[in-house]
Amino acid sequence: MFKNLKSDIPASIVVFFVALPLCLGIALASGAPLFSGIIAGIIGGIVVGGLSGSKLGVSGPAAGLAAIVLTAITTLGSYENFLVAVVLGGIIQIIFGVLKAGVIGYYFPSSVIKGMLTGIGIIIILKQIPNFFGYDEESAWDLEFFEIDGGNTFSELINILGNIHPGALLIGVISLLLILIWDNVLGKKAKIFKVIPGPFLAVVAGIVFFTVTQGNELLSIGSKHMVSVPVPEDLSSFVGQFSFPNFGVVFNHEVWIVAFTIALVASIETLLSVEASDKIDPEKNVTPTNRELLAQGAGNIISGLIGGLPITQVIVRSSANVQSGGKSKMSTILHGFLLLISVILIPTLLNMIPLAVLAAVLLLVGYKLAKPSLFKKMYHLGWKQWLPFIVTVVGIVFTDLLSGIALGMLVGIVVILLKSYQNSHFLHIEDKSNGKHKIKMELAEEVTFFNKGAILKELDSLPKDSYLEFDVRKTRYLDYDVIEILEDFAFKAKEKNIDIKLISKRGVVENPPSFIEFFKLRPKSEISLS
């Protein structure tokens, strides 16, 4: 973990600045104490980062759980009662890991994962535009289309009109240009520019801008446009920010319902993020998914015990880590320590960072996830890749992460069924032989009930007075539903004067009296029947 510090330290700084406002914003959107988001970020970095097998994945509080948390706190009566559900959810996740449920993560199609990354990128851009222009609402950290405050993604964009803050917009533009020039121009000319990350320089510029413009009526940036970290007066008030679970409600069935919901949703979001972060990893590392569930479970237990929000692996922070040049899990762990040290030693300094600066960082992260070239590439791969991809993107933008993924998966399954329908057999029609059309039909290696329609259609369309060579030599699995279709066809073939030649590994049978009896008598090593 220590051999890539030259890359991991700058990456951890960028992830820290991305994670800080997300931790605070998600806590705000969840109706939880602000410090609970910081706790979850610290645990996600240090504990989950240390236990996980993911080299580049970053964990912390997830926007996708905000609505669940907000509802659960109200349902369970208090935040302390809710923390019990977080701890129990962590235990359930560990059980998932022991049962090797992480294998589910390998069954998401590549087109859907790419659609998820692109959709998240678009959402980041749309949600951070208000911050960039100095119109700050809680919805900046709510990644769902329909927001908790009753608005939606596009209504917040419309509300920007007439609410633009000149100072926030100016430092946002300066930060954006500074990062682009620093990384893309100066970074290619001297190594020193690669050592100090552009986002760090933008944050420094933002603090200087805030300090210099104080008192200026036009450009001065108020507190609602700034990072807002809780500032404890002394050690006792810092410790007082921690909350602890009320285990007296552990036998309340509603607590267990919330716990299972947290475990299930957090596990699915984690597995999706694992697949996505592995997909954009330049070194193509493969994360052990069962170990990831164990790590997430341990993180949620500890987070719940000391007052933190539920934790998942999150693609926003993970992609920022990848794009900033992170090489190992050390960047994840270091970002957790940076969160811990900063809220203890420099909370006042953190509160001098304009949100427009961090919005500039996130806008670039979003763009890298949703580059126009990716749309072009997916389109040229054909409709079977393009359709699940674009449905996932649109679904995420106009609903939420899990709903968008579900829509993409549904379309992906339909595409698979269509491909199975089309690829069940090979049909070849030859010239007339002995006055009859000679037709060869060769079945695929696996033929299921999904293929019934295609095979039935072909058999019914055969002309009268034909000669059918039916080849099953390559077939290893043949569904009984398909055998019944063949049985019915054998009866119809007599009426249409169609001769049948059945070719199998056992030899050739002319006009078999019964396909069912033929396949029942097969050697066990030849064809498996359902």
Side-chain angles (χ1 to χ4, degrees), residues 100-121:
K100 301 189 183 303
V103 70
I104 296 169
Y106 297 128
Y107 291 94
F108 293 100
S110 174
S111 57
V112 173
I113 296 300
K114 290 175 182 176
M116 177 186 117
L117 287 165
T118 306
I120 288 291

Side-chain angles (χ1 to χ4, degrees), residues 43-276:
I43 300 300
I46 299 173
V47 177
V48 178
L51 295 175
S52 170
S54 176
K55 288 191 174 183
L56 297 174
V58 182
S59 297
L65 288 170
I68 294 172
V69 174
L70 182 66
T71 304
I73 293 172
T74 304
T75 303
L76 300 181
S78 71
Y79 187 65
E80 288 72 18
N81 292 348
F82 168 73
L83 291 176
V84 178
V86 178
V87 175
L88 294 175
I91 294 172
I92 294 170
Q93 279 188 295
I94 288 178
I95 294 172
F96 286 167
V98 171
L99 296 176
K100 301 189 183 303
V103 70
I104 296 169
Y106 297 128
Y107 291 94
F108 293 100
S110 174
S111 57
V112 173
I113 296 300
K114 290 175 182 176
M116 177 186 117
L117 287 165
T118 306
I120 288 291
I122 294 172
I123 283 290
I124 291 170
I125 293 170
L126 294 176
K127 295 290 187 177
Q128 288 304 316
I129 287 175
N131 266 340
F132 189 79
F133 283 90
Y135 174 65
D136 303 294
E137 295 291 328
E138 296 177 10
S139 59
W141 318 113
D142 184 355
L143 298 186
E144 297 183 6
F145 181 75
F146 294 104
E147 296 165 353
I148 295 172
D149 62 4
N152 61 59
T153 302
F154 295 114
S155 68
E156 297 299 337
L157 294 177
I158 294 171
N159 289 338
I160 294 174
L161 302 174
N163 291 291
I164 296 174
H165 189 287
L169 177 58
L170 179 59
I171 189 57
V173 171
I174 290 172
S175 300
L176 194 61
L177 293 174
L178 187 61
I179 296 170
L180 288 172
I181 294 171
W182 190 267
D183 291 345
N184 298 326
V185 180
L186 299 177
K188 295 178 180 179
K189 292 185 176 181
K191 289 184 178 181
I192 184 64
F193 297 111
K194 292 184 178 180
V195 175
I196 303 172
F200 177 76
L201 200 68
V203 167
V204 172
I207 294 172
V208 172
F209 182 89
F210 168 76
T211 305
V212 171
T213 58
Q214 277 190 315
N216 186 301
E217 291 186 8
L218 182 64
L219 299 178
S220 179
I221 302 177
S223 59
K224 71 174 185 176
H225 304 294
M226 310 295 292
V227 170
S228 180
V229 177
V231 181
E233 296 178 0
D234 50 37
L235 181 60
S236 61
S237 60
F238 175 77
V239 174
Q241 294 181 97
F242 292 88
S243 303
F244 303 98
N246 172 26
F247 284 108
V249 298
V250 72
F251 296 109
N252 183 336
H253 74 281
E254 289 184 336
V255 171
W256 281 93
I257 292 172
V258 173
F260 188 80
T261 303
I262 289 172
L264 187 62
V265 175
S267 297
I268 292 173
E269 288 207 19
T270 291
L271 294 173
L272 287 168
S273 294
V274 164
E275 282 291 296

Side-chain angles (χ1 to χ4, degrees), residues 483-520:
I483 298 175
E484 284 191 337
I485 288 175
L486 298 176
E487 184 76 7
D488 293 340
F489 171 72
F491 176 78
K492 293 178 184 177
K494 295 176 183 177
E495 296 180 348
K496 297 173 72 174
N497 193 29
I498 298 174
D499 291 323
I500 302 172
K501 181 180 181 180
L502 178 60
I503 305 173
S504 72
K505 289 183 178 180
R506 283 182 285 159
V508 177
V509 179
E510 296 283 352
N511 294 315
S514 171
F515 279 88
I516 292 176
E517 291 301 319
F518 176 84
F519 287 113
K520 275 184 179 178

Side-chain angles (χ1 to χ4, degrees), residues 147-464:
E147 296 165 353
I148 295 172
D149 62 4
N152 61 59
T153 302
F154 295 114
S155 68
E156 297 299 337
L157 294 177
I158 294 171
N159 289 338
I160 294 174
L161 302 174
N163 291 291
I164 296 174
H165 189 287
L169 177 58
L170 179 59
I171 189 57
V173 171
I174 290 172
S175 300
L176 194 61
L177 293 174
L178 187 61
I179 296 170
L180 288 172
I181 294 171
W182 190 267
D183 291 345
N184 298 326
V185 180
L186 299 177
K188 295 178 180 179
K189 292 185 176 181
K191 289 184 178 181
I192 184 64
F193 297 111
K194 292 184 178 180
V195 175
I196 303 172
F200 177 76
L201 200 68
V203 167
V204 172
I207 294 172
V208 172
F209 182 89
F210 168 76
T211 305
V212 171
T213 58
Q214 277 190 315
N216 186 301
E217 291 186 8
L218 182 64
L219 299 178
S220 179
I221 302 177
S223 59
K224 71 174 185 176
H225 304 294
M226 310 295 292
V227 170
S228 180
V229 177
V231 181
E233 296 178 0
D234 50 37
L235 181 60
S236 61
S237 60
F238 175 77
V239 174
Q241 294 181 97
F242 292 88
S243 303
F244 303 98
N246 172 26
F247 284 108
V249 298
V250 72
F251 296 109
N252 183 336
H253 74 281
E254 289 184 336
V255 171
W256 281 93
I257 292 172
V258 173
F260 188 80
T261 303
I262 289 172
L264 187 62
V265 175
S267 297
I268 292 173
E269 288 207 19
T270 291
L271 294 173
L272 287 168
S273 294
V274 164
E275 282 291 296
S277 57
D278 284 352
K279 187 73 66 181
I280 58 177
D281 179 5
E283 297 181 4
K284 303 302 177 188
N285 292 295
V286 178
T287 298
T289 52
N290 295 317
R291 177 175 168 182
E292 187 65 30
L293 290 179
L294 294 172
Q296 296 290 334
N300 274 317
I301 291 172
I302 296 173
S303 183
L305 287 173
I306 59 176
L309 289 173
I311 294 168
T312 75
Q313 189 179 127
V314 274
I315 193 56
V316 178
R317 275 155 272 188
S318 300
S319 59
N321 190 22
V322 174
Q323 293 159 10
S324 302
K327 296 292 184 183
S328 76
K329 64 165 69 179
M330 183 55 74
S331 59
T332 301
I333 297 170
L334 287 175
H335 113 275
F337 278 109
L338 287 174
L339 282 171
L340 176 61
I341 294 167
S342 64
V343 296
I344 295 174
L345 300 181
I346 55 168
T348 304
L349 184 63
L350 294 177
N351 290 340
M352 296 169 69
I353 303 173
L355 289 174
V357 173
L358 302 178
V361 176
L362 285 166
L363 285 174
L364 291 174
V365 170
Y367 175 77
K368 290 177 180 177
L369 287 173
K371 286 183 177 180
S373 59
L374 180 60
F375 285 86
K376 184 178 179 181
K377 177 183 176 181
M378 294 302 295
Y379 180 79
H380 286 300
L381 287 175
W383 71 271
K384 292 173 184 176
Q385 289 292 312
W386 168 255
L387 194 58
F389 167 79
I390 199 65
V391 167
T392 305
V393 171
V394 173
I396 288 173
V397 171
F398 286 96
T399 57
D400 55 69
L401 177 64
L402 293 182
S403 298
I405 290 289
L407 287 171
M409 285 292 293
L410 182 62
V411 172
I413 290 170
V414 171
V415 169
I416 290 171
L417 295 181
L418 285 173
K419 289 169 69 177
S420 177
Y421 176 89
Q422 295 167 351
N423 298 329
S424 61
H425 62 278
F426 170 77
L427 193 68
H428 178 65
I429 301 176
E430 296 181 353
D431 294 333
K432 286 187 176 181
S433 176
N434 298 324
K436 288 191 173 187
H437 284 283
K438 187 176 181 181
I439 301 162
K440 290 183 178 180
M441 179 181 285
E442 181 179 337
L443 291 191
E445 187 171 341
E446 292 192 9
V447 184
T448 71
F449 68 92
F450 292 128
N451 309 127
K452 284 169 57 177
I455 294 173
L456 181 61
K457 180 181 177 182
E458 295 286 12
L459 293 175
D460 281 349
S461 66
L462 293 181
K464 292 181 179 180

